[in-house]
Short mmCIF file of all heavy atoms in Angstrom, two decimals:
data_model
loop_
_atom_site.label_atom_id
_atom_site.label_comp_id
_atom_site.label_asym_id
_atom_site.label_seq_id
_atom_site.Cartn_x
_atom_site.Cartn_y
_atom_site.Cartn_z
N VAL A 14 0.84 -1.18 0.01
CA VAL A 14 -0.02 0.01 0.00
C VAL A 14 0.88 1.27 -0.01
O VAL A 14 0.61 2.24 -0.72
CB VAL A 14 -0.92 0.01 1.20
CG1 VAL A 14 -1.76 1.33 1.30
CG2 VAL A 14 -1.94 -1.18 1.17
N ASP A 15 1.96 1.22 0.76
CA ASP A 15 2.88 2.36 0.81
C ASP A 15 3.52 2.63 -0.56
O ASP A 15 3.63 3.76 -1.02
CB ASP A 15 3.95 2.11 1.87
CG ASP A 15 5.05 3.18 1.89
OD1 ASP A 15 4.67 4.32 2.19
OD2 ASP A 15 6.21 2.89 1.55
N GLU A 16 3.94 1.56 -1.21
CA GLU A 16 4.59 1.68 -2.52
C GLU A 16 3.61 2.28 -3.54
O GLU A 16 4.00 3.11 -4.38
CB GLU A 16 5.15 0.32 -2.99
CG GLU A 16 6.38 -0.14 -2.18
CD GLU A 16 6.84 -1.48 -2.62
OE1 GLU A 16 6.33 -2.01 -3.62
OE2 GLU A 16 7.78 -2.03 -1.97
N GLU A 17 2.37 1.84 -3.50
CA GLU A 17 1.39 2.32 -4.49
C GLU A 17 1.05 3.76 -4.13
O GLU A 17 0.92 4.57 -5.09
CB GLU A 17 0.12 1.49 -4.42
CG GLU A 17 -0.97 1.89 -5.37
CD GLU A 17 -0.64 1.82 -6.84
OE1 GLU A 17 0.31 1.01 -7.14
OE2 GLU A 17 -1.20 2.50 -7.69
N ALA A 18 0.91 4.10 -2.86
CA ALA A 18 0.63 5.53 -2.50
C ALA A 18 1.79 6.43 -2.94
O ALA A 18 1.56 7.53 -3.42
CB ALA A 18 0.42 5.61 -0.98
N ARG A 19 3.00 5.94 -2.76
CA ARG A 19 4.18 6.73 -3.17
C ARG A 19 4.20 6.94 -4.67
O ARG A 19 4.52 8.04 -5.16
CB ARG A 19 5.45 6.08 -2.75
CG ARG A 19 6.75 6.86 -3.01
CD ARG A 19 7.92 6.27 -2.37
NE ARG A 19 8.16 4.88 -2.83
CZ ARG A 19 9.09 4.08 -2.31
NH1 ARG A 19 9.86 4.51 -1.31
NH2 ARG A 19 9.23 2.86 -2.78
N SER A 20 3.84 5.94 -5.45
CA SER A 20 3.81 6.09 -6.91
C SER A 20 2.73 7.06 -7.37
O SER A 20 2.85 7.79 -8.32
CB SER A 20 3.64 4.71 -7.59
OG SER A 20 2.30 4.23 -7.37
N ARG A 21 1.61 7.08 -6.64
CA ARG A 21 0.51 8.03 -6.99
C ARG A 21 0.81 9.39 -6.49
O ARG A 21 0.52 10.41 -7.15
CB ARG A 21 -0.83 7.54 -6.40
CG ARG A 21 -1.30 6.22 -7.02
CD ARG A 21 -2.65 5.80 -6.52
NE ARG A 21 -3.04 4.56 -7.16
CZ ARG A 21 -4.36 4.19 -7.35
NH1 ARG A 21 -5.29 4.98 -6.98
NH2 ARG A 21 -4.60 3.04 -7.93
N GLY A 22 1.37 9.52 -5.30
CA GLY A 22 1.81 10.82 -4.75
C GLY A 22 0.71 11.63 -4.09
O GLY A 22 0.94 12.29 -3.11
N THR A 23 -0.46 11.57 -4.68
CA THR A 23 -1.55 12.37 -4.19
C THR A 23 -2.88 11.85 -4.69
O THR A 23 -2.95 11.13 -5.67
CB THR A 23 -1.43 13.88 -4.62
OG1 THR A 23 -2.46 14.65 -4.06
CG2 THR A 23 -1.49 13.99 -6.13
N SER A 24 -3.97 12.17 -4.02
CA SER A 24 -5.29 11.90 -4.58
C SER A 24 -5.56 12.96 -5.63
O SER A 24 -5.14 14.04 -5.57
CB SER A 24 -6.35 11.99 -3.49
OG SER A 24 -6.25 10.92 -2.53
N VAL A 25 -6.32 12.56 -6.65
CA VAL A 25 -6.66 13.49 -7.75
C VAL A 25 -8.19 13.69 -7.74
O VAL A 25 -8.94 12.72 -7.79
CB VAL A 25 -6.20 12.91 -9.13
CG1 VAL A 25 -6.59 13.88 -10.24
CG2 VAL A 25 -4.73 12.66 -9.16
N TYR A 26 -8.57 14.98 -7.64
CA TYR A 26 -9.98 15.31 -7.55
C TYR A 26 -10.48 15.87 -8.90
O TYR A 26 -10.10 16.94 -9.33
CB TYR A 26 -10.21 16.33 -6.44
CG TYR A 26 -9.88 15.81 -5.05
CD1 TYR A 26 -8.58 15.95 -4.55
CD2 TYR A 26 -10.84 15.13 -4.26
CE1 TYR A 26 -8.26 15.43 -3.28
CE2 TYR A 26 -10.48 14.62 -3.04
CZ TYR A 26 -9.22 14.76 -2.54
OH TYR A 26 -8.95 14.26 -1.33
N LEU A 27 -11.32 15.04 -9.55
CA LEU A 27 -11.89 15.44 -10.84
C LEU A 27 -13.30 15.98 -10.57
O LEU A 27 -13.79 16.09 -9.41
CB LEU A 27 -11.96 14.22 -11.74
CG LEU A 27 -10.58 13.53 -11.99
CD1 LEU A 27 -10.76 12.27 -12.85
CD2 LEU A 27 -9.61 14.47 -12.67
N VAL A 28 -13.98 16.42 -11.66
CA VAL A 28 -15.26 17.07 -11.52
C VAL A 28 -16.23 16.16 -10.86
O VAL A 28 -17.02 16.55 -9.97
CB VAL A 28 -15.80 17.53 -12.90
CG1 VAL A 28 -17.20 18.02 -12.81
CG2 VAL A 28 -14.89 18.62 -13.44
N ASP A 29 -16.29 14.87 -11.27
CA ASP A 29 -17.36 14.01 -10.81
C ASP A 29 -16.88 12.79 -10.01
O ASP A 29 -17.60 11.87 -9.70
CB ASP A 29 -18.19 13.51 -12.04
CG ASP A 29 -17.31 12.70 -13.01
OD1 ASP A 29 -16.06 12.87 -12.94
OD2 ASP A 29 -17.87 11.95 -13.82
N ARG A 30 -15.56 12.75 -9.70
CA ARG A 30 -15.01 11.60 -9.03
C ARG A 30 -13.64 11.93 -8.44
O ARG A 30 -13.07 12.94 -8.72
CB ARG A 30 -14.90 10.41 -9.95
CG ARG A 30 -13.71 10.52 -10.93
CD ARG A 30 -13.85 9.57 -12.10
NE ARG A 30 -14.94 9.99 -12.96
CZ ARG A 30 -15.30 9.33 -14.08
NH1 ARG A 30 -14.70 8.22 -14.39
NH2 ARG A 30 -16.27 9.79 -14.83
N THR A 31 -13.17 11.03 -7.56
CA THR A 31 -11.87 11.13 -6.94
C THR A 31 -11.09 9.89 -7.29
O THR A 31 -11.59 8.78 -7.16
CB THR A 31 -11.97 11.30 -5.44
OG1 THR A 31 -12.73 12.47 -5.12
CG2 THR A 31 -10.64 11.36 -4.80
N VAL A 32 -9.85 10.08 -7.69
CA VAL A 32 -8.88 8.97 -7.86
C VAL A 32 -8.01 9.01 -6.63
O VAL A 32 -7.10 9.84 -6.49
CB VAL A 32 -8.07 9.14 -9.12
CG1 VAL A 32 -7.13 7.92 -9.29
CG2 VAL A 32 -8.96 9.27 -10.36
N PRO A 33 -8.26 8.14 -5.62
CA PRO A 33 -7.61 8.26 -4.32
C PRO A 33 -6.20 7.79 -4.32
O PRO A 33 -5.79 6.90 -5.13
CB PRO A 33 -8.49 7.42 -3.42
CG PRO A 33 -9.05 6.37 -4.30
CD PRO A 33 -9.26 7.02 -5.66
N MET A 34 -5.40 8.32 -3.40
CA MET A 34 -4.01 7.86 -3.23
C MET A 34 -4.02 6.49 -2.51
O MET A 34 -3.14 5.65 -2.74
CB MET A 34 -3.23 8.85 -2.47
CG MET A 34 -1.75 8.50 -2.21
SD MET A 34 -0.84 9.74 -1.31
CE MET A 34 -1.50 9.46 0.36
N LEU A 35 -4.95 6.34 -1.56
CA LEU A 35 -5.04 5.12 -0.76
C LEU A 35 -6.31 4.32 -1.08
O LEU A 35 -7.20 4.86 -1.65
CB LEU A 35 -5.07 5.54 0.71
CG LEU A 35 -3.85 6.26 1.26
CD1 LEU A 35 -4.15 6.80 2.68
CD2 LEU A 35 -2.61 5.32 1.30
N PRO A 36 -6.35 3.04 -0.75
CA PRO A 36 -7.54 2.26 -0.93
C PRO A 36 -8.75 2.92 -0.26
O PRO A 36 -8.65 3.49 0.82
CB PRO A 36 -7.19 0.92 -0.28
CG PRO A 36 -5.75 0.80 -0.35
CD PRO A 36 -5.25 2.25 -0.14
N GLU A 37 -9.88 2.79 -0.88
CA GLU A 37 -11.12 3.47 -0.35
C GLU A 37 -11.45 3.07 1.07
O GLU A 37 -11.92 3.90 1.87
CB GLU A 37 -12.30 3.17 -1.26
CG GLU A 37 -13.59 3.92 -0.92
CD GLU A 37 -14.68 3.65 -1.85
OE1 GLU A 37 -14.48 3.06 -2.94
OE2 GLU A 37 -15.84 4.00 -1.47
N LYS A 38 -11.20 1.84 1.44
CA LYS A 38 -11.48 1.40 2.83
C LYS A 38 -10.68 2.18 3.83
O LYS A 38 -11.08 2.38 4.95
CB LYS A 38 -11.25 -0.11 2.96
CG LYS A 38 -12.31 -1.00 2.31
CD LYS A 38 -12.09 -2.44 2.61
CE LYS A 38 -13.19 -3.28 2.05
NZ LYS A 38 -13.00 -4.75 2.33
N LEU A 39 -9.46 2.60 3.41
CA LEU A 39 -8.64 3.38 4.33
C LEU A 39 -9.05 4.83 4.31
O LEU A 39 -9.32 5.47 5.36
CB LEU A 39 -7.13 3.27 3.97
CG LEU A 39 -6.41 1.96 4.42
CD1 LEU A 39 -4.97 2.02 3.86
CD2 LEU A 39 -6.42 1.78 5.88
N CYS A 40 -9.10 5.44 3.12
CA CYS A 40 -9.27 6.94 3.01
C CYS A 40 -10.67 7.38 3.36
O CYS A 40 -10.86 8.43 3.99
CB CYS A 40 -8.84 7.42 1.65
SG CYS A 40 -9.80 6.73 0.23
N ASN A 41 -11.70 6.54 3.06
CA ASN A 41 -13.04 6.98 3.33
C ASN A 41 -13.66 6.36 4.59
O ASN A 41 -14.68 6.86 5.14
CB ASN A 41 -13.98 6.64 2.16
CG ASN A 41 -13.69 7.47 0.93
OD1 ASN A 41 -12.87 8.40 0.97
ND2 ASN A 41 -14.32 7.19 -0.16
N LYS A 42 -12.99 5.31 5.13
CA LYS A 42 -13.63 4.65 6.24
C LYS A 42 -12.70 4.54 7.47
O LYS A 42 -12.83 5.21 8.47
CB LYS A 42 -14.08 3.23 5.84
CG LYS A 42 -15.19 3.29 4.77
CD LYS A 42 -15.63 1.90 4.32
CE LYS A 42 -16.70 1.99 3.28
NZ LYS A 42 -17.16 0.64 2.77
N VAL A 43 -11.59 3.71 7.38
CA VAL A 43 -10.80 3.46 8.54
C VAL A 43 -10.11 4.68 9.04
O VAL A 43 -10.11 5.00 10.26
CB VAL A 43 -9.74 2.34 8.21
CG1 VAL A 43 -8.79 2.16 9.41
CG2 VAL A 43 -10.47 1.04 7.92
N CYS A 44 -9.51 5.49 8.17
CA CYS A 44 -8.72 6.65 8.53
C CYS A 44 -9.58 7.91 8.64
O CYS A 44 -9.24 8.85 9.37
CB CYS A 44 -7.58 6.90 7.54
SG CYS A 44 -6.32 5.59 7.56
#
């Protein structure tokens, strides 16, 4: 998860959706 987050660098916020840096279970729920 750390390696993938590092490669993405940041979440990307588009007009109608978000491409998250972390898995959805972490960014929207656990954390």
Side-chain angles (χ1 to χ4, degrees):
V14 175
D15 175 65
E16 290 179 5
E17 181 63 22
R19 184 171 59 188
S20 69
R21 296 187 179 205
T23 184
S24 294
V25 179
Y26 296 90
L27 304 175
V28 172
D29 61 341
R30 74 197 71 182
T31 299
V32 182
M34 181 181 74
L35 297 170
E37 186 177 347
K38 284 186 178 180
L39 283 178
C40 60
N41 290 353
K42 296 179 181 179
V43 175
C44 295

